[in-house]
Amino acid sequence: MRIIKPGEKLSEKELRYFANMAGKAYVNDPVHSYATKNIKRREKVVSHFMMQRLKASNGTDYFYIDDENRGICVWRRAHNDYKATDFFKLPDWFYLYWYWPNSLKTFMAYSPLDVKVFDENCWIISPVFVSPDCQGKGIATALIKKGMEDLSQMGYTFGLEAQSDSNVAYYKKLGFEITGEAYYKRGDIHHYYMVLKP
């Protein structure tokens, strides 16, 4: 397992590789499905969106990467709350020009989320994904558990945000519990705040 710590960075090529993976892994995510109805366009939107998201974390957060580059888990401080304006500091103008309506809907769907529900000492999973052809092999679980093992030694607590019942069930098996909820009526999207049980 490869660990990229704050102060270290992945190359642009590596970021693009994982962003493209995210486009396939998140293609049926509730928020992105609401924001972009066409599945082919959605994969491109998610890929560009995630490229910006990973750039925002690069050098600031912890990246846990599978040895064979089949998956990645990003841990970031809950109170390091990235906003839409942060993405304009890392512009991909092609993305902004072609996909801005989809991105706006995505940000609006995420707007009920408020990371301040987590304590100041909390690190959250944001994001974690595995290549679709490698899912179900325990890769994400291994990345998450290793991150929790390392960061717990520094005295941190853990949380996350989930938008599907299947994800909630998965994280409950890892010891997380729901501590709050939000609902985006326009997209019929449920947001669940989860923290690791003490």
Side-chain angles (χ1 to χ4, degrees):
M1 188 177 299
R2 189 159 54 119
I3 303 170
I4 308 299
K5 299 178 180 179
E8 303 172 354
K9 288 191 173 185
L10 289 178
S11 69
E12 189 85 2
K13 182 179 179 180
E14 289 177 299
L15 291 176
R16 182 67 64 191
Y17 169 82
F18 285 111
N20 288 335
M21 182 188 296
K24 296 176 177 63
Y26 277 106
V27 75
N28 293 315
D29 174 82
V31 170
H32 293 294
S33 295
Y34 155 73
T36 309
K37 302 304 180 189
N38 181 283
I39 195 166
K40 289 183 179 179
R41 182 178 178 86
R42 190 187 311 151
E43 186 176 319
K44 293 179 181 178
V45 171
V46 176
S47 177
H48 284 281
F49 183 89
M50 195 58 70
M51 183 66 177
Q52 301 302 90
R53 175 67 194 82
L54 293 175
K55 280 184 178 180
S57 278
N58 203 22
T60 302
D61 303 324
Y62 284 91
F63 287 47
Y64 282 76
I65 302 170
D66 172 67
D67 282 333
E68 298 176 43
N69 288 334
R70 298 173 295 177
I72 185 170
C73 178
V74 178
W75 288 93
R76 70 175 175 89
R77 284 187 179 274
H79 286 249
N80 184 4
D81 186 15
Y82 297 111
K83 300 176 178 62
T85 52
D86 294 322
F87 287 77
F88 289 94
K89 299 173 185 175
L90 308 158
D92 177 336
W93 297 109
F94 176 83
Y95 165 69
L96 293 175
Y97 178 77
W98 285 106
Y99 302 127
W100 70 265
N102 308 93
S103 298
L104 182 60
K105 288 183 75 175
T106 300
F107 280 121
M108 288 175 63
Y110 277 126
S111 64
L113 298 178
D114 182 359
V115 296
K116 304 305 184 288
V117 301
F118 300 112
D119 65 50
E120 292 277 354
N121 205 36
C122 185
W123 284 68
I124 62 174
I125 299 169
S126 179
V128 59
F129 53 87
V130 173
S131 176
D133 58 351
C134 296
Q135 292 177 3
K137 298 181 179 180
I139 296 169
T141 300
L143 295 172
I144 292 168
K145 286 185 174 180
K146 178 59 175 167
M148 290 193 298
E149 178 187 329
D150 292 347
L151 295 173
S152 65
Q153 294 176 12
M154 303 177 204
Y156 297 124
T157 59
F158 307 105
L160 58 95
E161 302 152 353
Q163 285 80 42
S164 72
D165 292 338
S166 60
N167 283 344
V168 168
Y170 169 75
Y171 287 115
K172 280 184 176 180
K173 290 180 180 178
L174 291 178
F176 289 83
E177 62 184 358
I178 296 173
T179 57
E181 298 181 27
Y183 179 64
Y184 184 61
K185 185 176 181 180
R186 185 177 298 177
D188 189 27
I189 299 168
H190 293 268
H191 298 284
Y192 303 95
Y193 306 103
M194 304 184 75
V195 297
L196 189 69
K197 297 175 187 176

